[in-house]
Amino acid sequence: MRYASYGWPVTTGSTTPTTDPERAQALWSMLPSAAVHAVSGEAFDVVEADASSGRAALLRLERLGVPVGPVLWAPATDRIGFLVQCATLGSVPTLLGESCRLRVLHRGDLVELPGSPYSRARWLREPGTVGTPPELPAAHVVLGGIASCRLPQRH
């Protein structure tokens, strides 16, 4: 219900996505151990990086006072996912994409969210108050944070 209350389309992965909190409640009451997935590209896009690049970028952006929005960690793949504003991502520079193993989830891609007892995802930064959609950064902000952590340091 929490994610649907943000206006995020949620699904078990085999059901029709919904943004209706009551429908989501009914669905997961019938399937309590089902994974919770959100459909990317409608309320947010996702920029994923390898864990070391993602964590470094998260810390750097926060030290600079940049709001990062919700951030996921997938322990099984050791990847960090930043939820960003839809359609704010142009092409990912090839060198950045290769060095950080970047992956961008776009319209229709599913991202697993924490919620079920068997969830493989964890929040590093929670989305916030139920019913109030979280502020999301533009994708270039997150990519800038990731890129700045990958540049050689000057001495």
Side-chain angles (χ1 to χ4, degrees):
M1 275 184 22
R2 173 185 180 190
Y3 303 133
S5 78
Y6 298 144
W8 297 355
V10 291
T11 175
T12 62
S14 61
T15 58
T16 303
T18 184
T19 57
D20 178 2
E22 290 178 15
R23 188 165 165 230
Q25 174 66 34
L27 178 62
W28 271 276
S29 66
M30 292 185 299
L31 302 165
S33 61
V36 180
H37 295 276
V39 182
S40 184
E42 294 186 33
F44 58 81
D45 287 334
V46 179
V47 174
E48 278 189 358
D50 63 78
S52 63
S53 299
R55 281 190 185 94
L58 175 60
L59 295 174
R60 179 174 177 80
L61 290 168
E62 288 181 332
R63 272 196 309 268
L64 293 171
V66 176
V68 295
V71 181
L72 288 164
W73 174 48
T77 57
D78 206 20
R79 300 194 48 81
I80 304 294
F82 293 85
L83 278 61
V84 299
Q85 296 171 12
C86 284
T88 60
L89 182 64
S91 60
V92 176
T94 304
L95 290 175
L96 180 59
E98 290 172 3
S99 68
C100 302
R101 294 187 7 227
L102 282 181
R103 178 175 172 231
V104 178
L105 304 180
H106 292 291
R107 181 169 290 284
D109 291 332
L110 295 180
V111 59
E112 185 174 355
L113 302 175
S116 85
Y118 307 104
S119 179
R120 297 173 298 190
R122 305 283 180 267
W123 287 116
L124 293 180
R125 299 299 178 270
E126 293 271 344
T129 308
V130 173
T132 304
E135 294 289 325
L136 302 175
H140 71 272
V141 171
V142 170
L143 288 173
I146 294 170
S148 69
C149 293
R150 302 304 294 185
L151 296 174
Q153 300 299 314
R154 292 185 182 174
H155 297 285

